[in-house]
Amino acid sequence: MKLLIAAAFLAITASLYSCKSSSSDAPKTFCDTACLKDTLKFTGEHKLKPSVTITPKGCLADSIIWTYKGMGANRKTGFTYLLGSTVNINKDIIRCYFRDTAVAYILFNDCSSGRGFQIKLPFDKKQDIGLRNSGINSFDPKFSVAENLLVFTDRGNIFVEDMNTGKKAMMTFGQQIDINYNVIHDHIDSVNITNERIWVKILVDKKWEVKEKKIVFE
């Protein structure tokens, strides 16, 4: 009987330890991946009230609709169709920036991986939608980016766009860097980007280096 009680005790202890271990060993997410249930709507300050609406389905973002008063037919696209994959969106880790009724920018990070995304939505139906899946967004506490700037990388350069004007600037790393955008901090530790300067700490040939440049938008 004593042996049976001891065996049962060990089994319960092992079970509890297993549960605790699996919980503590679970990978940490960038933000809360809770089910997205509510429609997200953003509205610009222009008198024609440009807006972007993201509708959910099955706990994920499903469709993007953008329009303004008097535009006629709304523009619409599928969220997963556009990105080519599913992402977890948190309503607190997404924002929309409007340039009058010309274009709207959606900036967000995938809560599962932390990967930064940027979607450029022109209101003119003759213009194509733009997508960047290598965004450097200020939702990441190690990325300081001025509010009006859109910043992304192609592994060899950092590109900056002033969302107010559409003008651009850039800085080269000097070589291609094997960046995995899902774990971007393995190669880009931190950035500080203003309207006057790009500053970045990157891993080059297994050594951390700081690169910076004064910029002029063109």
Side-chain angles (χ1 to χ4, degrees):
M1 179 63 71
K2 290 183 178 180
L3 289 174
L4 289 174
I5 294 173
F9 177 78
L10 288 173
I12 293 170
T13 303
S15 175
L16 291 172
Y17 178 80
S18 176
C19 291
K20 182 178 180 181
S21 177
S22 62
S23 174
S24 61
D25 293 343
K28 184 179 180 181
T29 58
F30 182 80
C31 50
D32 189 353
T33 58
C35 177
L36 180 66
K37 297 180 180 179
D38 299 326
T39 294
L40 305 178
K41 185 170 183 178
F42 307 92
T43 305
E45 296 180 356
H46 190 274
K47 62 182 180 181
L48 295 180
K49 298 297 181 183
S51 66
V52 172
T53 303
I54 300 174
T55 60
K57 183 178 180 181
C59 291
L60 300 172
D62 179 60
S63 298
I64 307 174
I65 304 164
W66 64 109
T67 188
Y68 60 81
K69 288 183 178 179
M71 191 176 89
N74 298 342
R75 297 200 69 180
K76 182 177 180 179
T77 188
F79 204 92
T80 300
Y81 168 79
L82 179 61
L83 269 61
S85 62
T86 57
V87 298
N88 288 102
I89 290 180
N90 184 300
K91 63 181 179 61
D92 297 321
I93 312 294
I94 184 171
R95 73 184 182 102
C96 187
Y97 196 98
F98 293 89
R99 190 198 312 155
D100 299 325
T101 56
V103 64
Y105 300 84
I106 302 176
L107 288 73
F108 65 94
N109 285 59
D110 175 21
C111 282
S112 297
S113 66
R115 186 171 190 161
F117 290 86
Q118 300 157 348
I119 302 174
K120 188 175 182 178
L121 302 171
F123 289 93
D124 186 343
K125 296 178 177 63
K126 296 178 181 178
Q127 297 182 28
D128 295 330
I129 300 168
L131 170 67
R132 298 290 179 185
N133 59 9
S134 57
I136 296 176
N137 299 332
S138 57
F139 300 115
D140 190 311
K142 300 198 77 175
F143 292 161
S144 176
V145 179
E147 184 177 345
N148 63 302
L149 300 181
L150 185 81
V151 180
F152 60 93
T153 179
D154 67 351
R155 297 187 173 92
N157 310 277
I158 278 190
F159 298 92
V160 184
E161 179 178 345
D162 183 349
M163 293 184 285
N164 285 326
T165 64
K167 292 184 176 181
K168 301 172 183 177
M170 59 87 68
M171 182 185 76
T172 181
F173 295 150
Q175 66 182 76
Q176 285 293 112
I177 300 174
D178 188 22
I179 300 172
N180 179 344
Y181 299 132
N182 288 324
V183 283
I184 196 168
H185 287 298
D186 284 358
H187 287 89
I188 300 181
D189 175 77
S190 52
V191 306
N192 190 315
I193 301 177
T194 68
N195 287 275
E196 294 79 32
R197 185 187 70 142
I198 297 173
W199 181 98
V200 58
K201 183 178 179 181
I202 58 175
L203 188 67
V204 179
D205 296 330
K206 298 183 179 180
K207 293 182 180 180
W208 289 104
E209 297 184 8
V210 169
K211 293 184 181 291
E212 59 182 317
K213 176 185 177 182
K214 291 183 179 180
I215 54 174
V216 176
F217 289 93
E218 298 177 351

